[in-house]
Amino acid sequence: MALPQAKQDATEARIAALSLPEGGWAEPARREALARLRAMGLPNARDEYWKFTRPDTLVSAEAPAARVLETDETPLFDSRDRLKLVFVDGVFSAEESDDPSLEGVTIDRLAEAKDIHWAKDLYGVLEARGQDPVARPLAALNTAFATDGLLIHVTGKPSKPISLIYRHVSDTSDAILHHVIKVDAGAEATILENGPAAARFNKCMEVDLAEGGRLHHIRAQGRDHERRAATHVFARLEKESVFKSFTLSVNGAMTRNEVVVEFTGDDAVAHVAGACMGDGDFHHDDTVFVTHDAVNCESRQVFKKVLRNGATGVFQGKILVKPDAQKTDGYQISQSLLLDEDSQFLAKPELEIYADDVACSHGSTSGAIDEDGLFYLRARGVPRGTAEDLLTIAFIAEAVQEVEDESLQEDLVERVAGWLARRRG
Amino acid sequence: MLEIKNLHVKLEEEDKQILKGVDLTVEAGKVHAIMGPNGSGKSTLSYVLSGRDGYEVTDGSATLLGEDLLDMEVEERAAAGLFLAFQYPVEIPGVGNMTFLRTAVNAQRKARGQEEMSSAEFLKVIRARAKDLKIDAEMLKRPVNVGFSGGEKKRNEILQMAMLEPKMCILDETDSGLDVDAMKLVADGVNALRDEGRGFLVITHYQRLLDHIKPDVVHIMANGRIIKTGGPELALEVEQNGYADILEEVA
Ligand SMILES: Nc1ncnc2c1ncn2[C@@H]1O[C@H](COP(=O)(O)OP(=O)(O)OP(=O)(O)O)[C@@H](O)[C@H]1O
Ligand SMILES: [Mg+2]
């Protein structure tokens, strides 16, 4: 079916502003992705999947400028022992990064990976699988045009987390990064991501988990007020594998985080969680699609949003249970704490179930701060602001608890508490 | 200590007058009890004194140690030394009891210009106080009042009181829902805090609590007013005869 002219024009305008990296093993995958992109067209306000989030600033040929936040706070995870891999406005910086040799993992740079790389079987492959039944054109654009990224092969149990740090230095940077993570059978790693990355950031991460493999993914999206981001995670889980992903977002004018999970092996577990706090000109969209196509798998989606001063939060979450995916345990909850009447939370929770022996539940709520709780805390002498902060942290706690490592949970909560205290001055 | 004069209170949202001229003075070092039929306004009085939203003071005054209570924010009243043990303690999921109490203790200290308590010191004190009230360490780690039994919630109120060391303690039916042993624990907790510089206002329906916490003065509240004031014998009279005689007597 031909695309509407306006959509086709917008797509071509964006493509014209980019250049497809040529040569090497990834080129065929890039060309296929470009063809996919042309067939789908970039999203516009009329697309059902973009009903709650305006895609215009994410798809425009030129990225809207975003000022770099001046802050003296130490970046999250800084105190941890970790393998640091730094990107500056979307370009890998070997200078600022650690030597990437670490036992149990091999790491190559997408831009440099020599011919016939293991990632050839994955690059763009999981993304392409994730295009059905819902199109994700920004991910296809990413596969076609990504200029950098990491190919991370987890072969054992690396002793420390692999920490991707995204620095934003130019007001007009427009970065496209694509990572591929392959976790071998029985291997286990933790990936940390933090920082605003660029004025506009398009990131795609493909994760392939072999039998019994485990990946923990904890990310904190940068606080730069004007930054924009469209990210995709595509995870495929083989038998008994575990994938746990948590995202903390504070500020940012526009964020669309899509997570696409596919269970292909039995007895696997995937938890996708997020907490975001938005103030004012803030739009944050979590779009999750979990496909159960294997027996006895467990999926959880836990999302919490704290919104004030006209901020908008969106959650679109779907659990699709295919006919043979018996004994599926699917859970989904999305909740918002609206700190004033100007803010809004838009949720579209969906279940589509074709198997009969499953336990799936979902819920979505929106509410103000608990006045009784607030009074109780204040009656004990806790000042209103601190009391509100305590209740806010309590609200997001359920999502933070999805992070397995308790010391990381503490880091995240401490950081949130710091931000809340700071905003009250 | 606490001086309430001609206090008139109506609901903010409705045209409903609840307190219709309450006069009450609690002196330092004394224990006053308030008894009275359901719906007479006892809890309302305690909420208005502690600053809960939803009520409008239409006349009268309330001062704590000479300071105008009604003019202060909720947390300022607490820092000034007012404490209310809630009739229905509030559950706060996600906020640990220990974190809550440490935040509260230090916020009050800060408001009074005192030094904050160190974690170690705080732990030491709270462990001792919790032990006196037979509150186990596990309960301290749990979220505030979540999953606590009725009696545990009430004991937790007294623990908070013991930690905060307020000057004026209002206990709203702290005895309801307590078994006989727990009542004794709570009463011991209150008695341990009794001293020259502290006043108590104990709201209760039963003489039993007053057997343990001997009041100096007993007031009867009905229909938004204190209609009779007397000594401990007044509570015994209520226990034996109910309120009918007293209500008739003043009518
Ligand atoms: N927020 C409110 N909205 C409506 N009515 C209220 C409210 N607060 C108090 N009232 C009414 O005011 C009256 C006094 O209530 P209050 O709770 O103070 O009584 P009480 O003496 O504590 O009773 P009890 O012994 O049952 O605890 C009752 O009729 C009650 O229904
Ligand atoms: Mg009452």
Side-chain angles (χ1 to χ4, degrees), chain B residues 11 14 16 18 37-44 55 87 173 205:
Chain B
L11 290 178
E14 278 173 58
K16 185 173 171 187
I18 300 176
N38 293 130
S40 54
K42 304 181 298 296
S43 292
T44 301
Y55 303 101
Q87 181 172 2
E173 294 196 27
H205 286 295

